[in-house]
Amino acid sequence: MFAKRQSALAAAAGAPPEPRSRLAVDPVFNALKKPPVAAGAAGAFVIGAAALFVAVLGDPRAGAPTASAVLERPAAAAAPTGAEAFGFSGLDIYQDLGPIDPALMGEEGAGMMGEALITLPDGASVASGQGFSAPVRAPSNPLPKAPIAGLFQPGPNGPLPRIAADGRVPAQAYARPFRSNGKPMVALVVGGLGLNTATTRAAIERLPAEVTLSFVPYAEGLQTWIDMARAHGHEVMIELPMEPTGYPDNDPGPYTLLSSGGADDVAVKLDWLLARATGYFGVTNYLGDRFATSDEGVNALMTHLRQRGLAFLDDGSMRRRPGAFARASADRVIDEEQTPAAILRQFNALEAAAKTNGAALGTGFSYPVTVEAAARWTAGLEARGLQLAPASAMTRRPGR
């Protein structure tokens, strides 16, 4: 074995040595032939070149200004209350004041001159660039929660009002209690409620409890709105859609009482409308100038209302139509022109009618300007020798 080892050493000693550099570089080239390694090497080369560039020449943005900011997602805004939604500030309709004729305003409106200033009867004013907002009122003498035992019966679409076995009637049991103090009385109905959340909350929260509220039968959550209104002391009514001039282009909805429908059609639709909620002392018309010309339809309506112990109040367009358990018609619609000045003129006329006749009833829609003006107007009635009454106090039994 020793001899073989010597022979191998001798053979190796006579051969030229292999170059060492080739042995060290070949593995590198072999590795670079692999795509992943080649890509990594290219990236390293670019980074290295950039670092060398900065080291030699400096950071090209070194002299530029820099800034940092912390970004935060804003919290979701809370739903506005009725007061927030109907504050005068920010609503252009309250600042668009038209010219006013002092002769139409009476002594209490004498300060309302020109376009720049409106002075309300209680001394509050609205001027360009300014606004006023009546406060949210605390619930005042809540009315009993509906339905009241004995005053309803099952119907095909829900509970229907009825006269109780002991003679109690919804027109009285669901009305706001009222006692006259001997002063002339004024009443106000604000309608169109239940479709707009902010509008409905504003009327419930900001108007005094003596103001009667009228709700649209198509409103979702109607019973909840009525419960809320009664908890704030308001008596309530349901609006009955009736056929207007221009129907069906002017269409109040699928349960509109039609002049051509007859008694049976009135009965079917009325059962659906009256079953939408409980707790109302009466109903009122929504539109209906054409329906009012139908003797058959109107007589059927009044008969049903009388049999169920319900009052009927109209906006003045059906004044000559008697019937129902109790009746009243409005003396004025206060907001056919939707400006503070025009509404105040109607309020002043309503006061004058009350002082002349002993009582007067006005109706209006739940426009923001109506709600705000009514909240201010009602606040000064007592000082002007008037008493605010619920609309039910204006109703009279037929023949009485």
Side-chain angles (χ1 to χ4, degrees):
M1 179 176 293
F2 181 79
K4 291 180 180 179
R5 179 178 177 82
Q6 289 291 100
S7 298
L9 288 175
E18 295 183 13
R20 299 185 60 87
S21 59
R22 181 176 180 83
L23 294 174
V25 174
D26 283 348
V28 175
F29 282 115
N30 291 334
L32 289 176
K33 293 180 181 179
K34 299 179 180 180
V37 177
F45 176 78
V46 172
I47 294 174
L52 180 62
F53 179 81
V54 172
V56 174
L57 300 179
D59 186 354
R61 296 182 302 169
T66 60
S68 62
V70 178
L71 300 179
E72 296 182 358
R73 183 184 298 274
T81 65
E84 293 167 342
F86 284 87
F88 264 33
S89 58
L91 294 180
D92 294 340
I93 189 172
Y94 298 100
Q95 311 303 335
D96 184 15
L97 310 180
I100 303 165
D101 182 358
L104 297 176
M105 304 307 297
E107 295 179 0
E108 291 162 347
M112 298 177 59
M113 299 291 293
E115 298 182 2
L117 179 66
I118 278 189
T119 301
L120 287 160
D122 64 349
S125 63
V126 186
S128 297
Q130 296 181 347
F132 67 80
S133 176
V136 171
R137 297 173 182 266
S140 175
N141 298 322
L143 300 181
K145 186 175 176 59
I148 296 175
L151 292 176
F152 66 95
Q153 66 184 54
N157 302 294
L160 290 167
R162 57 163 290 180
I163 299 175
D166 58 6
R168 290 174 299 140
V169 294
Q172 296 170 342
Y174 289 124
R176 180 177 173 83
F178 174 75
R179 178 177 296 178
S180 173
N181 60 12
K183 296 180 180 180
M185 298 183 298
V186 289
L188 178 64
V189 177
V190 174
L193 297 169
L195 296 180
N196 182 286
T197 298
T199 303
T200 304
R201 289 188 62 181
I204 292 173
E205 295 175 355
R206 304 182 67 186
L207 297 176
E210 290 78 10
V211 174
T212 300
L213 303 182
S214 178
F215 289 82
V216 178
Y218 302 122
E220 293 185 10
L222 181 58
Q223 189 63 58
T224 299
W225 284 124
I226 288 179
D227 291 344
M228 180 179 176
R230 289 181 59 82
H232 278 72
H234 298 280
E235 65 179 18
V236 303
M237 294 192 297
I238 296 292
E239 297 174 6
L240 302 182
M242 301 180 186
E243 181 182 353
T245 298
Y247 180 88
D249 292 335
N250 185 12
D251 187 357
Y255 289 90
T256 298
L257 305 183
L258 301 176
S259 59
S260 59
D264 291 341
D265 183 67
V266 168
V268 170
K269 290 179 178 177
L270 198 58
D271 278 351
W272 186 89
L273 292 164
L274 296 181
R276 295 290 292 146
T278 63
Y280 50 91
F281 79 93
V283 298
T284 185
N285 67 298
Y286 175 68
L287 303 178
D289 60 327
R290 180 177 290 180
F291 177 76
T293 65
S294 169
D295 291 337
E296 183 182 6
V298 173
N299 290 339
L301 169 64
M302 296 299 184
T303 298
H304 280 282
L305 297 179
R306 182 171 59 253
Q307 292 172 346
R308 296 198 175 280
L310 293 171
F312 179 70
L313 286 75
D314 67 90
D315 58 7
S317 62
M318 301 177 68
R319 184 179 301 276
R320 296 184 180 181
R321 290 290 192 173
F325 180 85
R327 280 285 281 123
S329 293
D331 298 286
R332 285 186 175 270
V333 177
I334 63 167
D335 54 3
E336 289 182 327
E337 184 180 344
Q338 299 156 35
T339 65
I343 292 173
L344 185 53
R345 284 196 294 268
Q346 295 298 330
F347 278 143
N348 282 332
L350 199 65
E351 291 185 23
K355 291 177 180 179
T356 299
N357 303 319
L361 170 63
T363 64
F365 192 79
S366 52
Y367 302 114
V369 65
T370 301
V371 173
E372 195 64 48
R376 288 289 181 169
W377 171 72
T378 54
L381 285 174
E382 184 176 356
R384 298 194 298 280
L386 295 155
Q387 183 180 15
L388 182 62
S392 59
M394 302 293 178
T395 61
R396 296 291 180 268
R397 295 282 304 277
R400 296 190 179 185

